[in-house]
Amino acid sequence: MGKEPDSVVLRSGSFEAPKSVSKFLRVPLGTSIFHAVRLRRLDGEPLLLEYVYLSEAAFPGISDRTLSSSSLYSVLEEEYGADLSVGQETISVTYVDAWEARHLRVSEGSPAFFVRSVVTDGGGTPVEYCKSVIRSDRIRLIYHNAACREEEA
């Protein structure tokens, strides 16, 4: 039998974009931003926390949507006509704080993968900014690279 994935929204709401968020979404400081934190689980075991940021001007009414039962990308594409063409991710290591530890069921200060991603539309305009804190004791990150060969001159 397969494993059962699910997610739950732990908190969501609107706030004025601080410098860190406005930089990645390329919006002015103070722009109204929708923010949600989702806990993703597999068979009830917490695996990662996802911090999602979207411009409310680009997605009016997004704060009224229930995101725990539907795919965020489906909502953005189907209801808002968003073009989610390209994404860039940066992966590093972090240590979970007390709030994250409680929800991930690990000890405070445990190492975790930290993934920062920005999804842009076909024109290069940022659509979504996301930060994920991923349990390093339950997830492996695997990358496949094509072989690169220097051509002889």
Side-chain angles (χ1 to χ4, degrees), residues 14-23 27-33 55-56:
S14 300
F15 69 102
E16 292 183 1
K19 186 176 182 179
S20 60
V21 173
S22 65
K23 171 184 149 187
V27 296
L29 282 173
T31 297
S32 185
I33 298 295
S55 166
E56 287 193 315

Side-chain angles (χ1 to χ4, degrees), residues 24-25 86-89 116-120 126-130:
F24 288 105
L25 285 177
V86 179
Q88 179 177 325
E89 293 185 337
R116 183 185 314 257
S117 65
V118 178
V119 175
T120 60
V127 175
E128 175 204 36
Y129 169 50
C130 181

